[in-house]
Amino acid sequence: MNCFKWRDSLLELFFPSKSICPICWQKDLEGKYQGVCPSCLKKIMEITREVETCPRCGYFTAGEACPNCRYWAESVLTVGSVVPYDGVFKELIHDFKYNEKKEFAFPLGYLMAYRVKEMGIAEKIHAIMPVPLYIGREIERGYNQSLLLAKVIAKELQKPLWRDALERKHFHHTQTILGRKERVENLAGAFEYARNEDVNGNSILLVDDIITTGATLLSCTNTLQKAGAQQVYGITWAAGYSLKLLKEMQENNFFHREGR
Ligand SMILES: [Zn+2]
Ligand SMILES: [Zn+2]
């Protein structure tokens, strides 16, 4: 074994996840493919491009009426997502948030930036803001996953990152057991504008990992609108989906990953 092979074996031993595609677990031999293998990158870009989504909240509709954004009322918010929140896409975000897989910020953020370009809004955005975590949650986890994603997206789109322009005021423990309408009401007024950046008259892109009811992004949007923001967009890795779509997608190998 020559010295290069020795070096590679040692790297493999200490940093195995860096050379393995986190989606299909194939070895990414070239190691230059935006954090996922070329085949998975292509398939995800196809989903982003071809699967029908709600133009307002990004829900994967498969051509059906969107059940998700009917409580959004007058908000200026428009959201896009990369993939449906299921299968391997759900596992990826779970590992990223709770299992310290911070390196996933790159492939996820890269694909989110791609979605923003597909939406045709990249040129309209003045600045990018991550959705802040409740401070106790950030200390407990050690990082804010939305900030890590926002950093990658800001770099890809070459836009300024306003990381501290929004602050989270309080945390609602009961959020997960509430219905759609109640969640929107429960989070109203949860965010504060820090006034360290000038949002007045500008269009902002908010970054979060997933969108469920949209209550979090709506609350941020409301705060930014009051501060004078002209338009607010949201980009998330994953969103809800219709059951019809799930049936179609189950034939796709993204939803059934073999064990490592
Ligand atoms: Zn792959
Ligand atoms: Zn919708």
Side-chain angles (χ1 to χ4, degrees):
M1 193 182 275
N2 65 34
C3 64
F4 289 106
K5 281 189 179 159
W6 268 108
R7 190 199 60 181
D8 286 348
S9 314
L10 281 172
L11 280 174
E12 181 65 25
L13 190 64
F14 290 111
F15 307 103
S17 60
K18 299 264 194 291
S19 58
I20 292 171
C21 173
I23 292 169
C24 65
W25 287 340
Q26 295 296 306
K27 228 174 155 212
D28 177 7
L29 295 172
E30 301 290 323
K32 288 177 185 166
Y33 293 106
Q34 321 292 0
V36 298
C37 77
S39 153
C40 287
L41 190 69
K42 192 166 162 261
K43 282 192 213 162
I44 294 173
M45 284 175 165
E46 273 166 21
I47 295 177
T48 307
R49 246 191 336 256
E50 289 163 17
V51 179
E52 215 169 322
T53 55
C54 170
R56 196 174 187 205
C57 75
Y59 184 90
F60 287 81
T61 60
E64 295 162 329
C66 177
N68 196 45
C69 54
R70 61 190 146 161
Y71 300 113
W72 284 27
E74 309 274 291
S75 179
V76 296
L77 179 65
T78 305
V79 185
S81 293
V82 181
V83 286
Y85 185 54
D86 204 331
V88 64
F89 304 131
K90 192 173 174 179
E91 288 169 27
L92 273 182
I93 209 77
H94 193 273
D95 283 349
F96 176 50
K97 274 167 86 165
Y98 306 112
N99 295 336
E100 302 241 337
K101 293 278 187 189
K102 285 186 234 174
E103 68 270 23
F104 289 178
F106 190 71
L108 301 186
Y110 176 81
L111 286 157
M112 286 160 81
Y114 173 78
R115 178 76 185 115
V116 171
K117 290 177 201 163
E118 281 284 308
M119 288 164 78
I121 56 170
E123 300 309 315
K124 298 176 189 164
I125 295 160
H126 292 100
I128 294 174
M129 292 184 192
V131 169
L133 280 181
Y134 164 66
I135 192 73
R137 180 64 62 82
E138 188 161 347
I139 290 167
E140 180 190 313
R141 195 177 296 163
Y143 57 100
N144 174 2
Q145 74 281 355
S146 301
L147 173 60
L148 299 186
L149 294 170
K151 280 183 182 171
V152 176
I153 296 166
K155 205 170 167 203
E156 276 298 317
L157 300 178
Q158 299 186 314
K159 302 284 176 182
L161 175 67
W162 291 353
R163 52 181 291 167
D164 302 312
L166 277 175
E167 287 169 359
R168 197 162 195 143
K169 284 199 292 189
H170 41 79
F171 179 66
H172 299 271
H173 290 280
T174 52
Q175 188 72 357
T176 48
I177 55 161
L178 298 173
R180 280 194 169 100
K181 190 164 184 268
E182 288 75 26
R183 281 179 76 146
V184 171
E185 285 163 3
N186 193 41
L187 272 182
F191 297 91
E192 210 163 69
Y193 168 50
R195 307 198 175 275
N196 52 1
E197 306 285 358
D198 188 12
V199 301
N200 196 26
N202 284 335
S203 295
I204 304 297
L205 177 69
L206 289 167
V207 176
D208 209 354
D209 51 351
I210 54 167
I211 176 169
T212 49
T213 58
T216 307
L217 288 171
L218 277 175
S219 183
C220 292
T221 301
N222 196 24
T223 302
L224 292 172
Q225 258 187 288
K226 280 185 190 153
Q230 190 189 40
Q231 179 68 44
V232 181
Y233 301 102
I235 182 72
T236 66
W237 165 250
Y241 50 84
S242 75
L243 289 175
K244 185 179 157 213
L245 178 72
L246 181 66
K247 222 173 150 208
E248 286 168 23
M249 300 284 284
Q250 269 172 344
E251 281 135 43
N252 182 313
N253 60 13
F254 280 137
F255 285 80
H256 299 285
R257 185 164 64 164
E258 296 295 316
R260 204 191 289 254

